[in-house]
Amino acid sequence: MSSVQFNSNSFHPPSNTDTPRHTHTESLENGDVEKEQGMFAEPNNKGGETTDEYTNLVKYISTYREAGRRKSTASGVYDGNDPETKKKPWWKFGGKNKTAAGGDAFEVPDEWIESDIKKGITSAEVEIRRKKTGWNELTTEKENMFLKFLGYFKGPILYVMEIAVLLAAGLQDWIDFGVIIAILLLNAGVGWYQEKQAADVVASLRGDIAMKAWVIRDGSEQEIKARELVPGDIILVEEGQVIPADAKLICDYETPEAFAEYQQMQREELDGDIAEKHVDEDGEPEDQHHGHAVVAADQSAITGESLAVDKYMGDTLYYTTGCKRGKAFAVVTASARQSFVGRTASLVQGAKDQGHFKAIMNSIGTALLVLVVAWILIAWIGGFYHHLNIATPMDSSENLLHYVLILLIVGVPVGLPVVTTTTLAVGAAYLATEKAIVQKLTAIESLAGVDVLCSDKTGTLTANQLSIREPYVAEGQDVNWMMAVAALASSHNTKSLDPIDKVTILTLKKYPKAREILESGWKTQKYTPFDPVSKRITTEALYNGQLFTCAKGAPKAILNLTNCSKETSDLFKAKAAEFARRGFRSLGVAVKEGDKDWILLGMLPMFDPPREDTAQTITEAQTLGLKVKMLTGDAIAIAKETCTMLNLGSKVYNSEKLIHSGLSGATQHDLVERADGFAEVFPEHKYQVVEMLQERGHLTAMTGDGVNDAPSLKKSDCGIAVEGASEAAQAAADIVFLAPGLSTIVSAIKIARQIFQRMKAYIQYRIALCLHLEIYLVTSMVIINETVRVDLVVFLALFADLATIAVAYDNAHYEARPVEWQLPKIWIISVVLGVLLALGTWVVRGSMFLPNGGIIQNYGSIQEVLFLEISLTENWLIFVTRGSETWPSWQLIGAILGVDILSTLFCIFGWISGEGENPSDPLDLATNLTDNPPKVGNTSIVTVVVIWIYSLAVIIVIAIVYFLLNKISWLDNLGRKSRNAGDTQMENIIGHLSKLALEHESDDNGNKRWHLATRANEAEVDD
């Protein structure tokens, strides 16, 4: 075996350090010297000379300072001063923003994309083009606030209230007409304001994840927000960045003279001089490329290709894909909405997914509308027996149309859609202050219901603070030479270093002699980045005219390169196993000189310590009914050690078990459900894990940070882009976190459950209110031919909405299990509460038939007494449905207290109680009602106090009943779906079918036949 020995003490720089640069001859996916050297060149080099690659690398090592903690890849905080589209005059409140909307059908002229790469386009030209194309973003244009306000008057429930407005106008009941309009305006105004305030908070923090882009404008390089790009902009595409718009690749950044070649190619395309495409054996046209590969793009998010795709001069770079290698000029050909991704997104915009939350609201609203119709029918039947007229007398509420108006007002919860939506919006704003940006409001409901969290390891469970411990050096090798080789076999693009490459390079701070080796005249010839097949990084570099190939990667992959002795191999394997047991991630290092054999140099043990709070957070998550599964790309021994340290469990499996183990059907699903984690995971494994868990009925959250994670983030019920995630991952996620760690995710889940609890409490409360008045009023209409005056009824509806405006700001508790709507439980409890409220009101009304007036002390009005009792018990019901685990917020207490005071004043002064109140039929014998009080309709203070005490007693009884109902186990679990129910039989059938293939064959006579056969697995196909 040949030996390569580099003695760091006797190492001297070679005399010949001027080895000429090689031109591009390989694809960038296989590495490229010019590109790699271009990216570590000093920026803004006035002399036009490129700083030496390794001198610059050593300078980076020497001057690097730790920044404290990991930053988001898209830095910069939104300052609110973006140049937006010019505001329209105040009177032009309608219509769409033409600047933004006009871009949807605009065709970019050919001359727009003929920009010069040295000059770009001017700022004046940018403004002209933006008026045609709009902003470079997928989101809809800035909303018209007036149209958004009008949107709060749309929906089945609101349409019914608008019918009530017309009915009140037809009956010339102007008080009711005005108050109903006030109710509609109140709900719309409060909802609009709260949602706008919440949206402003989210928008201000969303600037932290705003995409940036480098462009050539007015003859200089500028960094701008990606949304400001227009077609024709010359952009700089660089490794580690997301493509900010659809663009055509021009040339390498280091060879701007190739722009003339690009222009010639464009002219040939326009003239139709491009040669006909060759076709392959299947008759498909073969891709023809111009020259060498300039960059490599990761298109997995839109095409599913796991490996990066080489891009050549004239090729299209797609919006939101990632640049994996290279640095080049490109010209923007289309802004976001006209891009490939934008056009695809527009296909589904017509059928907007309102989500599960909207479906729940619609089902509740529909059920209440059906109930209203039923109660109206019963009231009319009773009215027929009492011989009531349809619309007369006009000044009385006792006619059939007034009955309809009353029941429409009390039976339709106009505040339901507004309060629930604003509760979500305010919750989203609060989550934003906790560094969790909600991309869509319905994600809050999904997050609250999650019962399985698939988490990545690095940066979420661990601190993302990689460090290299004491390296293992093979016998006879020098540690400085090994560290230098490890640095050679790393990316040298210091602007966008992989965490492993970064820690490898920076560790050379401890090895000054290794730095001297790097500075002694190396020239990179070829760089091959890491890929999941070879599991290593290789660099070919020239030193003193001799070619060295340096490799760094998985220990097993590096060991397989070498032809070392069995003793050396066994010692290396034992050391790798020892490092894995200690939770270290190891990298093997090897080198070969020319055509000689590979020499095993040693191993670098890397350690990323768990966060201090991770173990405690996982325990807390488990108490919340949340199962945490770790998905990591590390080796299985490291994954098991990490899981043990974090008390996650010991059931950790290699991801190969998901594909090549032969498992299928129910057995495969059981494995995924039972596992505590998976090791050596790739993005396709994440997708498969999510899919299987969902098939078992689990609501799954998935964390991700790379472009490749986008499919699994989309697939999961709640996609979470962790801190520092790429723009592509952020775009695919439902929630983007700006703070690191598992604790921030668990904290967000608790907040989401609190938001859900607020909505659930309000819905129970609002259904009970509707049933309360429907039951009491219809029975009083039928039995005693009496109703509460319609003027008072509209104020009851107004006060109910006023009292619950502050629900969105209430202090809510969170359940210790994943939440669900449980509609059957909600309806049963709401019906019981509504019946109890109606019985309480009947007790008050019944007492007033007694000769002494019953509840009335001194004097009082039937209408006002009923009004006060109904108002108090309904307002206080929210304290029951919200639960007793937390104290109510001061906002909620203040709103309800204010409404209670108003109701009391109505009762005391007899406001709108009616003139010359008549006893009901049968004749009311209560003397206190027939005496002449100071003023018709007034009620004494003593009576008001008695009503307050009675109403409090009613609420206490209802609270006891509510508490007991929630203690009934079958009712508590009513409507909950099974989270681990799988159709075993169907899973096995599908599993067996997946192993079959349809084969076609021909016999000697030319007869063809098709038959089923066992499918060859992927490993066999690869062989």
Side-chain angles (χ1 to χ4, degrees), residues 78 80-85 100 126 130 133-142 207 210-213 215 217 224-231 233 244-245 319 335-337:
Y78 177 70
N81 295 321
D82 271 355
E84 298 290 346
T85 306
V126 168
R130 186 172 294 132
T133 62
W135 295 97
N136 179 50
E137 55 191 359
L138 286 179
T139 54
T140 55
E141 64 273 7
K142 191 175 180 180
M211 195 189 303
K212 299 294 184 69
V215 299
R217 282 187 184 171
I224 63 171
K225 292 181 180 178
R227 70 187 298 269
E228 298 172 8
L229 289 173
V230 296
D233 260 324
Y319 174 57
S335 55
R337 270 172 292 174

mmCIF file of all heavy atoms in Angstrom, residues 78 80-85 100 126 130 133-142 207 210-213 215 217 224-231 233 244-245 319 335-337:
data_model
loop_
_atom_site.group_PDB
_atom_site.id
_atom_site.type_symbol
_atom_site.label_atom_id
_atom_site.label_comp_id
_atom_site.label_asym_id
_atom_site.label_seq_id
_atom_site.Cartn_x
_atom_site.Cartn_y
_atom_site.Cartn_z
ATOM 1 N N TYR A 78 -38.936 44.215 8.588
ATOM 2 C CA TYR A 78 -39.787 45.096 7.805
ATOM 3 C C TYR A 78 -39.945 46.419 8.518
ATOM 4 O O TYR A 78 -40.271 46.481 9.696
ATOM 5 C CB TYR A 78 -41.155 44.434 7.617
ATOM 6 C CG TYR A 78 -42.153 45.295 6.885
ATOM 7 C CD1 TYR A 78 -41.998 45.557 5.531
ATOM 8 C CD2 TYR A 78 -43.245 45.836 7.545
ATOM 9 C CE1 TYR A 78 -42.915 46.335 4.855
ATOM 10 C CE2 TYR A 78 -44.168 46.619 6.874
ATOM 11 C CZ TYR A 78 -43.992 46.861 5.525
ATOM 12 O OH TYR A 78 -44.904 47.614 4.861
ATOM 13 N N GLY A 80 -41.861 48.957 7.366
ATOM 14 C CA GLY A 80 -43.120 49.613 7.057
ATOM 15 C C GLY A 80 -43.015 50.697 6.033
ATOM 16 O O GLY A 80 -43.981 51.378 5.739
ATOM 17 N N ASN A 81 -41.841 50.907 5.421
ATOM 18 C CA ASN A 81 -41.655 52.000 4.478
ATOM 19 C C ASN A 81 -41.481 51.537 3.046
ATOM 20 O O ASN A 81 -40.833 52.185 2.250
ATOM 21 C CB ASN A 81 -40.434 52.824 4.892
ATOM 22 C CG ASN A 81 -40.648 53.504 6.223
ATOM 23 O OD1 ASN A 81 -41.745 53.974 6.496
ATOM 24 N ND2 ASN A 81 -39.610 53.551 7.060
ATOM 25 N N ASP A 82 -42.014 50.344 2.717
ATOM 26 C CA ASP A 82 -41.926 49.870 1.345
ATOM 27 C C ASP A 82 -42.640 50.844 0.420
ATOM 28 O O ASP A 82 -43.721 51.349 0.734
ATOM 29 C CB ASP A 82 -42.626 48.500 1.200
ATOM 30 C CG ASP A 82 -41.651 47.380 1.485
ATOM 31 O OD1 ASP A 82 -40.466 47.714 1.676
ATOM 32 O OD2 ASP A 82 -42.081 46.232 1.513
ATOM 33 N N PRO A 83 -42.080 51.090 -0.737
ATOM 34 C CA PRO A 83 -42.813 51.902 -1.700
ATOM 35 C C PRO A 83 -43.980 51.099 -2.258
ATOM 36 O O PRO A 83 -43.798 50.179 -3.015
ATOM 37 C CB PRO A 83 -41.764 52.186 -2.789
ATOM 38 C CG PRO A 83 -40.775 51.080 -2.662
ATOM 39 C CD PRO A 83 -40.761 50.669 -1.235
ATOM 40 N N GLU A 84 -45.138 51.408 -1.852
ATOM 41 C CA GLU A 84 -46.314 50.670 -2.328
ATOM 42 C C GLU A 84 -46.922 51.376 -3.530
ATOM 43 O O GLU A 84 -46.516 52.460 -3.940
ATOM 44 C CB GLU A 84 -47.369 50.583 -1.204
ATOM 45 C CG GLU A 84 -46.894 49.829 0.014
ATOM 46 C CD GLU A 84 -46.750 48.347 -0.264
ATOM 47 O OE1 GLU A 84 -47.259 47.885 -1.308
ATOM 48 O OE2 GLU A 84 -46.103 47.654 0.537
ATOM 49 N N THR A 85 -47.912 50.757 -4.056
ATOM 50 C CA THR A 85 -48.638 51.354 -5.160
ATOM 51 C C THR A 85 -49.261 52.669 -4.720
ATOM 52 O O THR A 85 -49.717 52.803 -3.598
ATOM 53 C CB THR A 85 -49.771 50.397 -5.595
ATOM 54 O OG1 THR A 85 -49.176 49.122 -5.852
ATOM 55 C CG2 THR A 85 -50.473 50.888 -6.821
ATOM 56 N N ALA A 100 -51.409 45.966 -9.415
ATOM 57 C CA ALA A 100 -51.115 44.589 -9.056
ATOM 58 C C ALA A 100 -51.916 43.616 -9.884
ATOM 59 O O ALA A 100 -51.460 42.565 -10.244
ATOM 60 C CB ALA A 100 -51.403 44.385 -7.582
ATOM 61 N N VAL A 126 -37.937 50.722 -13.811
ATOM 62 C CA VAL A 126 -38.541 49.786 -12.848
ATOM 63 C C VAL A 126 -39.967 50.197 -12.523
ATOM 64 O O VAL A 126 -40.896 49.378 -12.520
ATOM 65 C CB VAL A 126 -37.691 49.705 -11.558
ATOM 66 C CG1 VAL A 126 -38.460 48.977 -10.460
ATOM 67 C CG2 VAL A 126 -36.376 49.001 -11.840
ATOM 68 N N ARG A 130 -43.348 48.100 -13.272
ATOM 69 C CA ARG A 130 -44.161 47.604 -12.161
ATOM 70 C C ARG A 130 -45.624 47.976 -12.339
ATOM 71 O O ARG A 130 -46.517 47.255 -11.880
ATOM 72 C CB ARG A 130 -43.622 48.143 -10.830
ATOM 73 C CG ARG A 130 -44.330 47.540 -9.625
ATOM 74 C CD ARG A 130 -43.675 47.925 -8.330
ATOM 75 N NE ARG A 130 -42.349 47.350 -8.222
ATOM 76 C CZ ARG A 130 -41.275 48.034 -7.860
ATOM 77 N NH1 ARG A 130 -41.371 49.330 -7.597
ATOM 78 N NH2 ARG A 130 -40.105 47.449 -7.774
ATOM 79 N N THR A 133 -46.826 45.064 -14.380
ATOM 80 C CA THR A 133 -46.738 43.688 -13.875
ATOM 81 C C THR A 133 -47.109 43.534 -12.408
ATOM 82 O O THR A 133 -47.395 42.425 -11.958
ATOM 83 C CB THR A 133 -45.307 43.150 -14.063
ATOM 84 O OG1 THR A 133 -44.407 43.952 -13.295
ATOM 85 C CG2 THR A 133 -44.893 43.191 -15.519
ATOM 86 N N GLY A 134 -47.081 44.620 -11.643
ATOM 87 C CA GLY A 134 -47.368 44.521 -10.218
ATOM 88 C C GLY A 134 -46.160 44.071 -9.429
ATOM 89 O O GLY A 134 -45.058 43.926 -9.957
ATOM 90 N N TRP A 135 -46.355 43.848 -8.158
ATOM 91 C CA TRP A 135 -45.268 43.421 -7.272
ATOM 92 C C TRP A 135 -44.941 41.961 -7.512
ATOM 93 O O TRP A 135 -45.809 41.159 -7.872
ATOM 94 C CB TRP A 135 -45.648 43.646 -5.810
ATOM 95 C CG TRP A 135 -45.819 45.087 -5.462
ATOM 96 C CD1 TRP A 135 -46.994 45.775 -5.418
ATOM 97 C CD2 TRP A 135 -44.796 46.034 -5.145
ATOM 98 N NE1 TRP A 135 -46.773 47.084 -5.092
ATOM 99 C CE2 TRP A 135 -45.426 47.274 -4.916
ATOM 100 C CE3 TRP A 135 -43.409 45.960 -5.034
ATOM 101 C CZ2 TRP A 135 -44.713 48.411 -4.573
ATOM 102 C CZ3 TRP A 135 -42.704 47.097 -4.697
ATOM 103 C CH2 TRP A 135 -43.350 48.305 -4.467
ATOM 104 N N ASN A 136 -43.703 41.615 -7.262
ATOM 105 C CA ASN A 136 -43.228 40.247 -7.469
ATOM 106 C C ASN A 136 -43.549 39.403 -6.228
ATOM 107 O O ASN A 136 -42.688 39.080 -5.425
ATOM 108 C CB ASN A 136 -41.720 40.266 -7.733
ATOM 109 C CG ASN A 136 -41.169 38.876 -7.928
ATOM 110 O OD1 ASN A 136 -41.693 38.095 -8.708
ATOM 111 N ND2 ASN A 136 -40.101 38.549 -7.208
ATOM 112 N N GLU A 137 -44.817 39.049 -6.085
ATOM 113 C CA GLU A 137 -45.242 38.229 -4.954
ATOM 114 C C GLU A 137 -46.507 37.478 -5.338
ATOM 115 O O GLU A 137 -47.293 37.935 -6.167
ATOM 116 C CB GLU A 137 -45.479 39.085 -3.710
ATOM 117 C CG GLU A 137 -46.447 40.222 -3.924
ATOM 118 C CD GLU A 137 -46.468 41.205 -2.757
ATOM 119 O OE1 GLU A 137 -45.736 40.964 -1.776
ATOM 120 O OE2 GLU A 137 -47.206 42.190 -2.824
ATOM 121 N N LEU A 138 -46.677 36.311 -4.729
ATOM 122 C CA LEU A 138 -47.831 35.468 -5.051
ATOM 123 C C LEU A 138 -49.096 35.954 -4.376
ATOM 124 O O LEU A 138 -50.193 35.706 -4.862
ATOM 125 C CB LEU A 138 -47.568 34.019 -4.608
ATOM 126 C CG LEU A 138 -46.601 33.212 -5.463
ATOM 127 C CD1 LEU A 138 -46.429 31.823 -4.871
ATOM 128 C CD2 LEU A 138 -47.084 33.116 -6.891
ATOM 129 N N THR A 139 -48.951 36.621 -3.238
ATOM 130 C CA THR A 139 -50.131 37.052 -2.500
ATOM 131 C C THR A 139 -50.941 38.037 -3.318
ATOM 132 O O THR A 139 -50.416 38.738 -4.176
ATOM 133 C CB THR A 139 -49.727 37.722 -1.172
ATOM 134 O OG1 THR A 139 -48.794 38.775 -1.457
ATOM 135 C CG2 THR A 139 -49.085 36.713 -0.247
ATOM 136 N N THR A 140 -52.214 38.097 -3.010
ATOM 137 C CA THR A 140 -53.091 38.999 -3.734
ATOM 138 C C THR A 140 -52.705 40.441 -3.440
ATOM 139 O O THR A 140 -52.006 40.730 -2.466
ATOM 140 C CB THR A 140 -54.560 38.792 -3.316
ATOM 141 O OG1 THR A 140 -54.649 38.928 -1.896
ATOM 142 C CG2 THR A 140 -55.023 37.415 -3.716
ATOM 143 N N GLU A 141 -53.170 41.329 -4.295
ATOM 144 C CA GLU A 141 -52.836 42.728 -4.122
ATOM 145 C C GLU A 141 -53.377 43.244 -2.786
ATOM 146 O O GLU A 141 -54.214 42.613 -2.166
ATOM 147 C CB GLU A 141 -53.413 43.562 -5.267
ATOM 148 C CG GLU A 141 -54.932 43.589 -5.340
ATOM 149 C CD GLU A 141 -55.482 42.421 -6.130
ATOM 150 O OE1 GLU A 141 -54.725 41.534 -6.515
ATOM 151 O OE2 GLU A 141 -56.713 42.399 -6.345
ATOM 152 N N LYS A 142 -52.857 44.386 -2.375
ATOM 153 C CA LYS A 142 -53.278 44.971 -1.106
ATOM 154 C C LYS A 142 -54.786 45.099 -1.073
ATOM 155 O O LYS A 142 -55.405 45.629 -1.983
ATOM 156 C CB LYS A 142 -52.626 46.349 -0.928
ATOM 157 C CG LYS A 142 -52.797 46.920 0.462
ATOM 158 C CD LYS A 142 -52.028 48.210 0.609
ATOM 159 C CE LYS A 142 -52.196 48.774 2.004
ATOM 160 N NZ LYS A 142 -51.461 50.034 2.170
ATOM 161 N N GLY A 207 -41.835 40.558 8.056
ATOM 162 C CA GLY A 207 -40.659 41.091 7.391
ATOM 163 C C GLY A 207 -39.396 40.338 7.744
ATOM 164 O O GLY A 207 -38.412 40.356 7.005
ATOM 165 N N ALA A 210 -38.766 37.940 4.971
ATOM 166 C CA ALA A 210 -38.877 38.474 3.614
ATOM 167 C C ALA A 210 -37.680 38.047 2.770
ATOM 168 O O ALA A 210 -36.543 38.105 3.218
ATOM 169 C CB ALA A 210 -38.984 39.994 3.650
ATOM 170 N N MET A 211 -37.942 37.609 1.553
ATOM 171 C CA MET A 211 -36.878 37.187 0.652
ATOM 172 C C MET A 211 -36.151 38.403 0.089
ATOM 173 O O MET A 211 -36.754 39.413 -0.216
ATOM 174 C CB MET A 211 -37.492 36.358 -0.491
ATOM 175 C CG MET A 211 -36.468 35.567 -1.289
ATOM 176 S SD MET A 211 -37.202 34.817 -2.769
ATOM 177 C CE MET A 211 -38.525 33.854 -2.064
ATOM 178 N N LYS A 212 -34.838 38.284 -0.033
ATOM 179 C CA LYS A 212 -34.024 39.349 -0.600
ATOM 180 C C LYS A 212 -33.439 38.891 -1.932
ATOM 181 O O LYS A 212 -33.419 37.697 -2.242
ATOM 182 C CB LYS A 212 -32.885 39.717 0.353
ATOM 183 C CG LYS A 212 -33.340 40.226 1.719
ATOM 184 C CD LYS A 212 -34.056 41.556 1.620
ATOM 185 C CE LYS A 212 -34.418 42.109 2.974
ATOM 186 N NZ LYS A 212 -33.262 42.534 3.758
ATOM 187 N N ALA A 213 -32.945 39.849 -2.724
ATOM 188 C CA ALA A 213 -32.335 39.526 -4.018
ATOM 189 C C ALA A 213 -31.282 40.578 -4.345
ATOM 190 O O ALA A 213 -31.432 41.751 -4.013
ATOM 191 C CB ALA A 213 -33.405 39.489 -5.121
ATOM 192 N N VAL A 215 -29.499 42.582 -7.377
ATOM 193 C CA VAL A 215 -29.802 42.954 -8.761
ATOM 194 C C VAL A 215 -28.753 43.943 -9.274
ATOM 195 O O VAL A 215 -28.025 44.565 -8.499
ATOM 196 C CB VAL A 215 -31.204 43.603 -8.891
ATOM 197 C CG1 VAL A 215 -32.290 42.652 -8.461
ATOM 198 C CG2 VAL A 215 -31.279 44.900 -8.092
ATOM 199 N N ARG A 217 -28.806 47.342 -11.064
ATOM 200 C CA ARG A 217 -29.667 48.468 -11.435
ATOM 201 C C ARG A 217 -28.823 49.735 -11.487
ATOM 202 O O ARG A 217 -27.966 49.938 -10.607
ATOM 203 C CB ARG A 217 -30.826 48.645 -10.449
ATOM 204 C CG ARG A 217 -31.964 47.670 -10.643
ATOM 205 C CD ARG A 217 -33.134 48.011 -9.736
ATOM 206 N NE ARG A 217 -34.204 47.031 -9.854
ATOM 207 C CZ ARG A 217 -35.268 46.996 -9.048
ATOM 208 N NH1 ARG A 217 -35.388 47.892 -8.081
ATOM 209 N NH2 ARG A 217 -36.197 46.077 -9.213
ATOM 210 N N ILE A 224 -32.063 44.225 -2.741
ATOM 211 C CA ILE A 224 -33.431 44.733 -2.591
ATOM 212 C C ILE A 224 -34.320 43.597 -2.092
ATOM 213 O O ILE A 224 -33.916 42.438 -2.056
ATOM 214 C CB ILE A 224 -33.998 45.276 -3.927
ATOM 215 C CG1 ILE A 224 -34.092 44.138 -4.960
ATOM 216 C CG2 ILE A 224 -33.152 46.429 -4.442
ATOM 217 C CD1 ILE A 224 -34.828 44.513 -6.222
ATOM 218 N N LYS A 225 -35.533 43.938 -1.720
ATOM 219 C CA LYS A 225 -36.522 42.909 -1.401
ATOM 220 C C LYS A 225 -36.985 42.264 -2.700
ATOM 221 O O LYS A 225 -37.199 42.951 -3.699
ATOM 222 C CB LYS A 225 -37.703 43.519 -0.655
ATOM 223 C CG LYS A 225 -37.314 44.008 0.735
ATOM 224 C CD LYS A 225 -38.498 44.576 1.478
ATOM 225 C CE LYS A 225 -38.068 45.045 2.867
ATOM 226 N NZ LYS A 225 -39.171 45.652 3.620
ATOM 227 N N ALA A 226 -37.139 40.953 -2.642
ATOM 228 C CA ALA A 226 -37.471 40.213 -3.861
ATOM 229 C C ALA A 226 -38.794 40.673 -4.456
ATOM 230 O O ALA A 226 -38.987 40.593 -5.672
ATOM 231 C CB ALA A 226 -37.521 38.718 -3.560
ATOM 232 N N ARG A 227 -39.697 41.181 -3.634
ATOM 233 C CA ARG A 227 -40.997 41.619 -4.140
ATOM 234 C C ARG A 227 -40.879 42.824 -5.064
ATOM 235 O O ARG A 227 -41.814 43.156 -5.791
ATOM 236 C CB ARG A 227 -41.943 41.931 -2.975
ATOM 237 C CG ARG A 227 -41.586 43.161 -2.174
ATOM 238 C CD ARG A 227 -42.463 43.315 -0.935
ATOM 239 N NE ARG A 227 -43.850 43.464 -1.279
ATOM 240 C CZ ARG A 227 -44.448 44.627 -1.487
ATOM 241 N NH1 ARG A 227 -43.755 45.754 -1.418
ATOM 242 N NH2 ARG A 227 -45.732 44.677 -1.777
ATOM 243 N N GLU A 228 -39.715 43.521 -5.050
ATOM 244 C CA GLU A 228 -39.531 44.718 -5.853
ATOM 245 C C GLU A 228 -38.993 44.417 -7.257
ATOM 246 O O GLU A 228 -38.818 45.328 -8.059
ATOM 247 C CB GLU A 228 -38.587 45.684 -5.137
ATOM 248 C CG GLU A 228 -39.120 46.167 -3.786
ATOM 249 C CD GLU A 228 -38.108 46.969 -3.002
ATOM 250 O OE1 GLU A 228 -37.045 47.286 -3.577
ATOM 251 O OE2 GLU A 228 -38.359 47.258 -1.822
ATOM 252 N N LEU A 229 -38.720 43.142 -7.555
ATOM 253 C CA LEU A 229 -38.199 42.778 -8.875
ATOM 254 C C LEU A 229 -39.255 42.977 -9.953
ATOM 255 O O LEU A 229 -40.458 42.830 -9.702
ATOM 256 C CB LEU A 229 -37.746 41.315 -8.878
ATOM 257 C CG LEU A 229 -36.482 40.970 -8.079
ATOM 258 C CD1 LEU A 229 -36.288 39.460 -8.057
ATOM 259 C CD2 LEU A 229 -35.267 41.658 -8.681
ATOM 260 N N VAL A 230 -38.782 43.278 -11.167
ATOM 261 C CA VAL A 230 -39.662 43.381 -12.335
ATOM 262 C C VAL A 230 -39.006 42.611 -13.482
ATOM 263 O O VAL A 230 -37.781 42.385 -13.478
ATOM 264 C CB VAL A 230 -39.897 44.854 -12.756
ATOM 265 C CG1 VAL A 230 -40.628 45.619 -11.674
ATOM 266 C CG2 VAL A 230 -38.584 45.533 -13.112
ATOM 267 N N PRO A 231 -39.792 42.177 -14.464
ATOM 268 C CA PRO A 231 -39.195 41.521 -15.630
ATOM 269 C C PRO A 231 -38.135 42.409 -16.280
ATOM 270 O O PRO A 231 -38.344 43.610 -16.451
ATOM 271 C CB PRO A 231 -40.395 41.299 -16.549
ATOM 272 C CG PRO A 231 -41.560 41.198 -15.626
ATOM 273 C CD PRO A 231 -41.269 42.173 -14.523
ATOM 274 N N ASP A 233 -35.075 42.697 -14.914
ATOM 275 C CA ASP A 233 -34.044 42.907 -13.908
ATOM 276 C C ASP A 233 -32.946 41.862 -14.072
ATOM 277 O O ASP A 233 -33.226 40.672 -14.254
ATOM 278 C CB ASP A 233 -34.635 42.795 -12.494
ATOM 279 C CG ASP A 233 -34.899 44.151 -11.868
ATOM 280 O OD1 ASP A 233 -34.106 45.075 -12.108
ATOM 281 O OD2 ASP A 233 -35.910 44.281 -11.137
ATOM 282 N N PRO A 244 -35.574 34.182 -6.814
ATOM 283 C CA PRO A 244 -36.641 35.112 -6.426
ATOM 284 C C PRO A 244 -37.719 35.335 -7.479
ATOM 285 O O PRO A 244 -38.715 36.000 -7.204
ATOM 286 C CB PRO A 244 -35.876 36.405 -6.153
ATOM 287 C CG PRO A 244 -34.681 36.326 -7.057
ATOM 288 C CD PRO A 244 -34.321 34.884 -7.153
ATOM 289 N N ALA A 245 -37.532 34.818 -8.693
ATOM 290 C CA ALA A 245 -38.527 34.964 -9.765
ATOM 291 C C ALA A 245 -38.120 34.020 -10.900
ATOM 292 O O ALA A 245 -36.979 33.560 -10.946
ATOM 293 C CB ALA A 245 -38.592 36.409 -10.269
ATOM 294 N N TYR A 319 -38.992 30.124 -10.017
ATOM 295 C CA TYR A 319 -39.279 30.847 -8.784
ATOM 296 C C TYR A 319 -39.461 29.872 -7.620
ATOM 297 O O TYR A 319 -40.120 28.853 -7.751
ATOM 298 C CB TYR A 319 -40.550 31.676 -9.004
ATOM 299 C CG TYR A 319 -41.091 32.394 -7.799
ATOM 300 C CD1 TYR A 319 -40.319 33.301 -7.088
ATOM 301 C CD2 TYR A 319 -42.408 32.191 -7.382
ATOM 302 C CE1 TYR A 319 -40.827 33.982 -5.995
ATOM 303 C CE2 TYR A 319 -42.931 32.865 -6.292
ATOM 304 C CZ TYR A 319 -42.132 33.754 -5.602
ATOM 305 O OH TYR A 319 -42.653 34.421 -4.519
ATOM 306 N N SER A 335 -42.685 37.834 -13.268
ATOM 307 C CA SER A 335 -42.812 38.036 -11.834
ATOM 308 C C SER A 335 -43.602 36.883 -11.235
ATOM 309 O O SER A 335 -44.076 35.992 -11.942
ATOM 310 C CB SER A 335 -43.493 39.381 -11.534
ATOM 311 O OG SER A 335 -44.732 39.466 -12.189
ATOM 312 N N ALA A 336 -43.753 36.891 -9.918
ATOM 313 C CA ALA A 336 -44.245 35.718 -9.194
ATOM 314 C C ALA A 336 -45.552 35.158 -9.734
ATOM 315 O O ALA A 336 -45.686 33.961 -9.960
ATOM 316 C CB ALA A 336 -44.396 36.072 -7.714
ATOM 317 N N ARG A 337 -46.532 36.027 -9.976
ATOM 318 C CA ARG A 337 -47.837 35.509 -10.364
ATOM 319 C C ARG A 337 -47.890 34.986 -11.792
ATOM 320 O O ARG A 337 -48.764 34.204 -12.137
ATOM 321 C CB ARG A 337 -48.911 36.574 -10.155
ATOM 322 C CG ARG A 337 -49.509 36.513 -8.760
ATOM 323 C CD ARG A 337 -50.414 37.683 -8.501
ATOM 324 N NE ARG A 337 -49.632 38.918 -8.435
ATOM 325 C CZ ARG A 337 -50.177 40.106 -8.338
ATOM 326 N NH1 ARG A 337 -51.474 40.234 -8.329
ATOM 327 N NH2 ARG A 337 -49.419 41.183 -8.262
#
